[in-house]
Amino acid sequence: MSRISKRKKGDGGRGSITILVLGDEGAGKSSLVSTFVSRHFSERVPGVMTRVRLPITSGSSEGRGGSYVTTIVDTQNGDATLAAVASTAVPSEPVDAIVLVYDLDRPSTFQRLESHWLPLIERCYSPPAVTETPNSIGGPEISDYNKIPPVIIAGNKLDLSLASPAHEDARLDRQQIVALLGRFKFVRQCIKTSAKTLLNVNDIFDKAQQAVLYPIGPLFDLTEGKMTDNCCKAFTRIFRMFDEDKDGLLNDLELGTFQNYFFKKAIHANKLTWWKKVLSKKPLDNDEVYIQDDKFTVAGFLTIIEMFMLKEFFDVPWRVLRHFGYDDDLNLYVPDWVVSPSSKIKGSDESQWSLSASAVEFLESLFTQFDSNNDGELTEDDIKRIFSIVPHPSLPPWHPTRTKDMFEGCFSVPCLDWYKKLFLSPPSSIGSVSSDEHAGVTILSSHDTSGARPDDMPDSVSSPTMTPASTPPESLIHPPLKFVDWSTYWFMVSSINPVKTRMELYRLGYDNKMNAKQSLSRAIRIKIFGSSQSGKTALLNALVGANKDPLDTEESGHPETRCTHVYAPSARLVNVGSKAEKNLGDELIHMIFTEVPEVASTGPEAVANCELAMLVFDCNDERSYEYVHTLEERLSEDMPRVFIGTKKDTISAALKSDEEEGSSTGRRSVLVAAQIHCEELDLEPPTLTSVASGVEAEKYLTYIALCAVGDLRSKPYAAQKRKEALWRRRMLWLSVGGISLVGVAAVGYFWRGEKRFESILRSFKNLFGRGESSDGVTIPVGRIP
Ligand SMILES: Nc1nc2c(ncn2[C@@H]2O[C@H](COP(=O)(O)OP(=O)(O)OP(=O)(O)O)[C@@H](O)[C@H]2O)c(=O)[nH]1
Ligand SMILES: [Mg+2]
C-alpha cells in the first residue's frame, strides 16, 4: 500500500508528507527540528516546536510528478500523540514517516527503543490479530509489517558521544542496531547525528521524506522478506521491453541499454562480469537459473533489482517504474495512444478494431519466445508464462473468468466451444466431431465460385484438451495453440473490445516500436443475421469447427463471437525489389463471426461495424426470408452482404412433391424471391446449405471471405456503380479538356495583339449599345444598364 497516494491531494495535485518526531524526553527532538529549520543550534528551544511546514519541494527529478508540502510534527509525551494518530481509522492527518530519536550519550534511551518505542509503534499500527511465532524475540510478531509507516532512527548528540568513554564500544553498538533492524523491519535506517554540530541533521529528514516518496511496501514485502508479486510482474514486463531480440534473455548490450536509459551512463564490462559472478554464486530459488548462455534470465534481472532493494536503494527501482507509468500502487498507466490511437477518426475505437501490423508482429514474437519446445504450439504452461505479468487473474483475455472485465457493455461476447465444454457441460458430452464429407452447399445459379479451394487446407482451430467440467474456472485450462489460432483469438477479442485489447497488449509489453512493413494476414468481421431458429448457430458450428454435433444448438439471446481462419486466394500487392507487383496467392484471412440473434438485432449497432452481413434464412419459412429482407434495408448501401438459405435437406423432398403436384408453395416462392432479389441487386445468388448433410467448411469459408473482401459480387449494384463512376470520370476529363481548349484559345487572342482585342471589345460594347461614347469617354462597366 502506498501511503502518499492515499493522502489528500491539495490544489494543483500537491501532496503532503507528515513526519512525526518521537523519542525519550531530552533526547534532542526539538533541537533537531529547530536546527534543521534554522540551520543553527540553539541551547534554548521550546518543549515542543510548533509544527514546521517546509517549503514546497518538487516531487523530485526522479519522474514523480507533482510537488509536496512536508510537515514536521514535534512531540513531548509522544505515546499519547502516537496513539491518537494511529488509532483513528481515517486520521485527519495520517503519519507518513516517523523519526525516532534517542540520545547517544544515554544508553538507556537506546534500550527504550527496543523495549518501548518500536513495540509501541508496532502495536499502534498492527492489525487486531496478533500471531505468536516460536521464533519471536522480544514479543509477539505482527502479521503485517507493511502497514507501519517507515521509521528513521536518529542517534542524537553524536558530539557528546564521540567524546565519552561509552563510544569505545562502537562495535557492540553496531551489533545492537543490526539486531534492531532485523527485528523491526519497518525501520528503514539508523543515522547518527548531532543537532549541535549540524552533523547529518538534513539527512534524517531527507531520508524520512524519501521513505515516503519511495515506499517499500509496494515493492518489497517486509513480512515475507522478498519482492512483491506486483513488483516482479512490473519488472518482468520491463525486462521484456528491453529484450530486443525477444529471446527471453538480456544480453550485455540489452542490459547496457537499460542502464544507459535510466542512469545516463554506460555499464562497465567489469561491472557486468561482477554481476554475473555474484548471480552465478547465488543459491538457486526453485531451480531458477540466473545466468544462461552468459546472459541474464528474468530471475537474474529480478535478483539484481532485489539486491538494490535489500541495500535500501528504493529510489532506483521507483525511478524505473515511474518512468514506465506505474503509480504508487504499481497500477500501470496506459497512455492515450493505446486507448485511442487517433482521436480524429470518428468512432475510432470501433473503426480501429483490427490489430496493426506491428501488433501482429509483437504477438508473433511472444509466440516464438514462449513456445518452449519449439513445436509450433503454445502449451498451457507457455500461455501461463505469457500472461504471468498481467494483473490478476493472469489469464488470456478470452478466458471466461475475464469476460466481465473485458467485455462488459460490449455488443457481443466471445464464444469458445472448448470453454463451454469444460466449464458448462458434463464431461460425457465431449467427443463427436462433425463430418465434412459432403459438400452441403448448393448455389441457386450457375455462377462460378472458383474462389473456393479444394480440401487440402491446413488444420483449423486445434482440438481442445479434454478436461472434466468440474475444474475450477479460475485455473487456466487451455488447449494448445498454433500461431494462427493464437492470432485469430486476438483478432476476435479486438473485434469485440478493441480498446481493452490494445490495453492488454500494452500490459504484455507491446510498445508500438516495432516497425512491421506489411501485415501478413488480415481479419474480417462478419455478422450473421437471421430470424430465430433459422439455423445460424448450426451453420456456424459447421463452419467454425465445433467439436460437437453442429445441430446440437442452444438458443442464445445475446450476440456471440467466434473465430476461425481460412487461406483464400487473393490478389495483393507485394514488394519485389523497388517495385510493387500484383501477386495472386493464398492469403491468411482471420474470420470473426458474430451471430446476432433476432432479439438483439434492433439497435443501430447491430447492423454496423462489420465487413460482411450474412443474411441467413430458413428455406422453408417465408417469415424467415422476410426477416432478412427487411433487415437488409437497415444495412448501409455499401455494406457487403450474402444471402444464405438453410435446411436445404428438408426442402428437397418437399419441393419434389410440390413439383409433382404442380403446386406453387411458399417454399418455392421463398427461393425464387431470394434469387430474383439478388439478381436485381446484382449480388451473388443465394447459397443453400444443409448442416445435416454436412457443409464443406473450408470451401464455404473461402466463398464467404471472398464475398467480404469484395472479390465476389456482394455490394449492391457494384458493377453498375463502377460503370457510372467510369462514365463520370470520362465526362470529367472531357470537360476539363474542353475548358483547357477554351483557355488556350483565350490566351491566344491576348497574344495576337491588343488591336484585335479592342475590336472584339468594341463589338461587345456595341452589342450592349453604349460601350463607349463617340468622343472616346469610357463609361464604367458597372454603369452599363
Ligand atoms: N551536546 C548536544 N546537546 C544537545 C544536542 N541536541 C540537543 N541537545 C541538548 O539536549 C537538551 C534537550 O534537548 P531538547 O531538544 O529540548 O530535547 P527534547 O527531546 O525535545 O526534549 P522534550 O521536549 O523534553 O521531550 C537541550 O539542553 C539541548 O540543548 C546535541 O546534538 N548535542
Ligand atoms: Mg522538545
Side-chain angles (χ1 to χ4, degrees):
M1 180 188 73
S2 159
R3 305 202 152 269
I4 199 150
S5 62
K6 299 279 178 274
R7 300 178 55 70
K8 249 199 281 180
K9 295 252 170 163
D11 46 316
R14 190 183 302 157
S16 63
I17 298 172
T18 303
I19 300 171
L20 188 69
V21 186
L22 295 174
D24 277 346
E25 192 185 332
K29 302 181 290 296
S30 307
S31 299
L32 273 175
V33 176
S34 153
T35 309
F36 175 64
V37 176
S38 65
R39 310 270 175 243
H40 161 79
F41 176 73
S42 164
E43 290 286 349
R44 297 179 65 82
V45 288
V48 180
M49 290 290 290
T50 47
R51 288 165 154 270
V52 174
R53 267 169 81 88
L54 296 181
I56 295 165
T57 33
S58 167
S60 94
S61 48
E62 277 92 40
R64 162 174 276 280
S67 46
Y68 298 87
V69 179
T70 303
T71 307
I72 300 175
V73 182
D74 185 19
T75 59
Q76 230 177 0
N77 186 14
D79 302 44
T81 316
L82 184 64
V85 292
S87 63
T88 338
V90 188
S92 58
E93 188 182 35
V95 170
D96 299 300
I98 294 172
V99 170
L100 185 56
V101 187
Y102 73 97
D103 184 344
L104 283 166
D105 203 37
R106 281 189 291 154
S108 62
T109 58
F110 181 79
Q111 306 306 333
R112 287 255 303 159
L113 297 184
E114 190 174 341
S115 63
H116 175 73
W117 288 110
L118 291 168
L120 176 71
I121 295 169
E122 198 176 68
R123 266 201 312 279
C124 286
Y125 285 94
S126 72
V130 174
T131 50
E132 289 275 0
T133 65
N135 299 335
S136 61
I137 307 157
E141 290 253 329
I142 64 155
S143 50
D144 192 356
Y145 283 115
N146 304 309
K147 295 191 170 149
I148 304 173
V151 171
I152 307 292
I153 292 180
N156 190 29
K157 306 191 189 176
L158 187 60
D159 55 304
L160 292 182
S161 119
L162 285 173
S164 88
H167 176 68
E168 282 163 19
D169 206 357
R171 218 157 45 111
L172 180 70
D173 210 15
R174 206 165 22 250
Q175 274 171 4
Q176 284 177 320
I177 288 169
V178 169
L180 207 68
L181 290 173
R183 158 76 180 86
F184 300 98
K185 293 186 176 136
F186 49 89
V187 178
R188 292 282 290 264
Q189 248 166 331
C190 274
I191 301 171
K192 290 184 180 174
T193 178
S194 165
K196 191 164 185 173
T197 62
L198 272 76
L199 187 74
N200 294 340
V201 175
N202 284 357
D203 248 26
I204 303 283
F205 294 99
D206 281 355
K207 295 288 180 209
Q209 267 178 322
Q210 283 196 13
V212 183
L213 292 175
Y214 307 114
I216 293 186
L219 307 191
F220 195 86
D221 190 323
L222 289 170
T223 313
E224 298 272 324
K226 59 176 186 153
M227 229 150 91
T228 60
D229 273 359
N230 281 346
C231 185
C232 287
K233 283 182 180 185
F235 274 104
T236 307
R237 178 174 171 275
I238 292 164
F239 174 97
R240 289 189 195 175
M241 295 178 89
F242 279 87
D243 179 13
E244 283 277 325
D245 55 9
K246 304 288 173 206
D247 65 347
L249 300 166
L250 284 193
N251 58 32
D252 292 359
L253 200 70
E254 289 162 344
L255 195 73
T257 313
F258 174 78
Q259 152 100 13
N260 211 1
Y261 197 80
F262 290 103
F263 306 101
K264 308 284 175 254
K265 59 177 182 186
I267 192 162
H268 288 297
N270 51 3
K271 188 77 186 172
L272 281 167
T273 318
W274 182 82
W275 275 119
K276 284 177 193 170
K277 217 155 114 188
V278 169
L279 290 175
S280 44
K281 276 188 193 156
K282 200 177 171 316
L284 304 184
D285 253 357
N286 307 323
D287 293 336
E288 301 249 46
V289 181
Y290 302 115
I291 301 289
Q292 186 184 316
D293 304 335
D294 204 35
K295 298 172 191 170
F296 295 85
T297 63
V298 176
F301 179 71
L302 293 180
T303 308
I304 294 179
I305 305 290
E306 198 176 64
M307 281 178 170
F308 274 102
M309 295 182 190
L310 290 168
K311 292 211 174 297
E312 288 288 328
F313 293 128
F314 283 89
D315 56 330
V316 175
W318 270 121
R319 194 173 4 203
V320 177
L321 290 166
R322 282 174 185 145
H323 176 87
F324 276 104
Y326 288 90
D327 72 7
D328 285 357
D329 291 325
L330 294 191
N331 298 313
L332 180 62
Y333 165 78
V334 181
D336 287 346
W337 67 263
V338 177
V339 177
S340 177
S342 170
S343 50
K344 283 182 195 153
I345 297 175
K346 209 174 158 211
S348 59
D349 290 347
E350 275 294 299
S351 58
Q352 298 199 0
W353 71 272
S354 195
L355 300 170
S356 65
S358 66
V360 175
E361 194 167 308
F362 169 73
L363 288 170
E364 191 173 352
S365 73
L366 269 188
F367 187 94
T368 322
Q369 184 184 336
F370 287 90
D371 175 12
S372 47
N373 51 1
N374 286 323
D375 66 346
E377 278 193 353
L378 290 180
T379 63
E380 183 171 326
D381 271 351
D382 297 336
I383 295 168
K384 262 185 191 159
R385 284 193 301 131
I386 291 177
F387 290 95
S388 64
I389 62 167
V390 302
H392 180 80
S394 308
L395 297 168
W398 47 84
H399 193 277
T401 52
R402 297 199 54 197
T403 304
K404 196 168 183 305
D405 147 54
M406 282 293 294
F407 309 110
E408 193 163 39
C410 295
F411 179 70
S412 71
V413 288
C415 168
L416 295 166
D417 289 316
W418 49 275
Y419 275 133
K420 278 198 169 174
K421 207 176 306 301
L422 296 176
F423 298 123
L424 306 174
S425 348
S428 57
S429 72
I430 298 169
S432 65
V433 180
S434 70
S435 153
D436 290 331
E437 271 168 40
H438 316 285
V441 182
T442 305
I443 295 176
L444 282 180
S445 85
S446 57
H447 185 81
D448 180 26
T449 53
S450 54
R453 291 184 73 235
D455 303 334
D456 58 345
M457 305 280 182
D459 283 346
S460 185
V461 179
S462 46
S463 307
T465 307
M466 303 308 178
T467 317
S470 56
T471 313
E474 302 77 45
S475 58
L476 173 68
I477 299 158
H478 212 297
L481 284 181
K482 292 188 170 69
F483 176 67
V484 68
D485 305 328
W486 162 252
S487 40
T488 303
Y489 278 4
W490 279 101
F491 275 113
M492 176 183 66
V493 289
S494 187
S495 79
I496 304 173
N497 195 340
V499 174
K500 285 261 173 92
T501 305
R502 283 195 294 271
M503 288 166 78
E504 186 77 3
L505 285 171
Y506 184 74
R507 285 195 199 99
L508 285 173
Y510 172 57
D511 63 357
N512 206 20
K513 278 193 200 133
M514 288 194 158
N515 240 342
K517 286 172 213 91
Q518 193 183 357
S519 182
L520 301 171
S521 55
R522 68 163 126 177
I524 48 179
R525 210 163 27 159
I526 301 151
K527 281 191 179 160
I528 305 182
F529 300 98
S531 59
S532 170
Q533 297 296 307
S534 57
K536 303 181 290 298
T537 312
L539 179 61
L540 254 187
N541 283 347
L543 294 179
V544 179
N547 284 285
K548 61 174 184 178
D549 177 3
L551 292 169
D552 175 15
T553 61
E554 285 158 33
E555 202 173 330
S556 164
H558 195 78
E560 289 181 337
T561 298
R562 300 200 233 177
C563 58
T564 187
H565 64 271
V566 76
Y567 290 88
S570 120
R572 64 198 147 127
L573 291 175
V574 290
N575 285 321
V576 184
S578 57
K579 282 188 277 173
E581 279 188 9
K582 238 182 187 185
N583 177 35
L584 196 72
D586 284 348
E587 185 179 13
L588 170 60
I589 299 186
H590 302 277
M591 302 181 76
I592 317 296
F593 291 97
T594 302
E595 183 186 341
V596 185
E598 189 174 344
V599 288
S601 66
T602 48
E605 57 184 339
V607 289
N609 300 317
C610 65
E611 277 82 44
L612 178 74
M614 274 170 70
L615 302 167
V616 175
F617 60 95
D618 179 345
C619 297
N620 296 296
D621 185 354
E622 254 174 300
R623 192 196 88 81
S624 177
Y625 175 67
E626 274 309 311
Y627 170 81
V628 283
H629 193 258
T630 316
L631 190 132
E632 191 195 11
E633 287 164 13
R634 292 170 50 209
L635 300 178
S636 74
E637 206 184 311
D638 279 346
M639 166 90 72
R641 66 208 61 184
V642 61
F643 280 86
I644 295 157
T646 57
K647 310 183 190 176
K648 184 189 76 177
D649 54 305
T650 59
I651 59 158
S652 47
L655 274 176
K656 215 173 181 181
S657 70
D658 289 346
E659 268 164 22
E660 281 164 10
E661 286 167 22
S663 63
S664 176
T665 63
R667 275 181 284 270
R668 181 167 290 282
S669 65
V670 164
L671 297 179
V672 171
Q675 190 176 355
I676 292 173
H677 176 73
C678 288
E679 267 169 26
E680 277 174 2
L681 267 63
D682 191 24
L683 295 173
E684 292 296 324
T687 54
L688 298 190
T689 59
S690 165
V691 173
S693 315
V695 175
E696 218 172 315
E698 282 167 3
K699 196 168 176 179
Y700 202 55
L701 285 171
T702 306
Y703 171 73
I704 293 169
L706 293 177
C707 285
V709 298
D711 287 6
L712 295 177
R713 292 172 303 149
S714 52
K715 283 189 186 174
Y717 312 113
Q720 193 184 326
K721 280 182 186 166
R722 264 199 304 275
K723 270 188 209 152
E724 281 170 11
L726 192 68
W727 187 81
R728 271 198 300 276
R729 260 204 309 277
R730 279 191 190 145
M731 289 308 289
L732 186 72
W733 279 114
L734 275 175
S735 43
V736 168
I739 291 167
S740 311
L741 272 174
V742 172
V744 168
V747 170
Y749 279 124
F750 277 106
W751 278 96
R752 289 181 66 184
E754 207 181 341
K755 246 184 171 172
R756 176 132 178 78
F757 173 70
E758 275 177 1
S759 76
I760 291 170
L761 194 66
R762 213 175 296 123
S763 68
F764 265 90
K765 286 169 186 168
N766 290 337
L767 207 67
F768 281 107
R770 267 204 261 164
E772 193 179 315
S773 67
S774 53
D775 58 2
V777 179
T778 308
I779 300 165
V781 174
R783 287 170 61 192
I784 293 174

